Amino acid sequence: MFFGRTPQLPTPEQALKGRSTPEFQVPSRHTVLGNPLVGPYPDGLETADFGMGCFWGAERKFWQTEGVWTTLVGYQGGYTENPAYEEACSGLTGHTEAVRVVFDPSVVSYEQLLKIFWENHNPTQGFRQGNDVGTQYRSAIYTHSPAQAAAAEASREAYQKVLTGSGHGTITTEILPAEDRPFWPAEPYHQQYLDRNVNGYCGIGGTGVSCPIGVAKAEG
């Protein structure tokens, strides 16, 4: 339905209906960090959800961050319940590929996670990320509190100023509450994919401009 033309999100009526229960079981523990993938999580930890293109490379960026307790990849921001990877890639679920980051705010702040988010993909590309084209690759932040929402909005505004000054376009990142946008874990083979496939496809690439938690041209 959506192939051969500019990607566009389906309406709720067009979206695949999905299923009431998942077709697979999520692995119990993170292959790198050793902690459970699925909650409930220990008291004192917070959750952040980011979409920044292919979730394989995005997840690795976060599990390498000190203070991150666990990460898992999945589908978020769409309509289909318990979607499969092939369904999400069809463009008919409305989801984007997302990374759930569970972190200790006494070690790493949400603002620091936002800096990783902005700097490790190009948030100006709409329904694509590099050569990966489709609504499932759109940039997104799904927030879990008013404080997260305020921080995300402020960081988007600040980063837009720096991007504009560097000749880049308008940020297309959607910032929406996670409350009404369930996170559906992806299939087991997607979880910590680049730990088990060290030479696997990453897909991560930023603009070369650092986020203004330290406003400067990124080296490299």
Side-chain angles (χ1 to χ4, degrees), residues 78-166:
Y79 306 109
T80 303
E81 294 185 359
N82 291 295
Y85 178 66
E86 293 76 11
E87 293 171 339
C89 289
S90 75
L92 289 171
T93 72
H95 296 293
T96 191
E97 293 190 12
V99 181
R100 172 152 288 182
V101 182
V102 181
F103 65 101
D104 183 344
S106 70
V107 179
V108 62
S109 68
Y110 184 66
E111 287 76 10
Q112 288 172 304
L113 297 180
L114 286 169
K115 181 177 176 67
I116 294 170
F117 167 80
W118 292 119
E119 292 182 355
N120 285 282
H121 77 301
N122 186 334
T124 70
Q125 294 189 317
F127 293 148
R128 59 182 282 258
Q129 195 62 211
N131 292 326
D132 294 330
V133 179
T135 57
Q136 73 272 26
Y137 299 117
R138 70 187 184 275
S139 177
I141 303 172
Y142 300 113
T143 60
H144 289 262
S145 68
Q148 282 193 4
E153 294 282 359
S155 69
R156 180 172 60 182
E157 181 178 352
Y159 197 39
Q160 182 65 72
K161 293 178 181 178
V162 182
L163 288 177
T164 300
S166 300

Side-chain angles (χ1 to χ4, degrees), residues 8 39-40 43-44 50 52 68 73 75 79 83 111 115 130 142 144 146 153 163-164 187 191 214:
Q8 57 182 301
D43 292 342
F50 301 108
M52 46 195 291
V68 170
V73 297
Y75 315 106
Y79 306 109
E111 287 76 10
K115 181 177 176 67
Y142 300 113
H144 289 262
E153 294 282 359
L163 288 177
T164 300
E187 291 80 351
Q191 306 299 335

Side-chain angles (χ1 to χ4, degrees), residues 177-202:
E179 181 179 4
D180 299 321
R181 293 163 181 87
F183 180 97
W184 305 103
E187 291 80 351
Y189 72 91
H190 288 301
Q191 306 299 335
Q192 296 88 65
Y193 179 86
L194 290 181
D195 177 49
R196 292 175 288 101
N197 301 273
V198 293
N199 295 317
Y201 174 74
C202 175

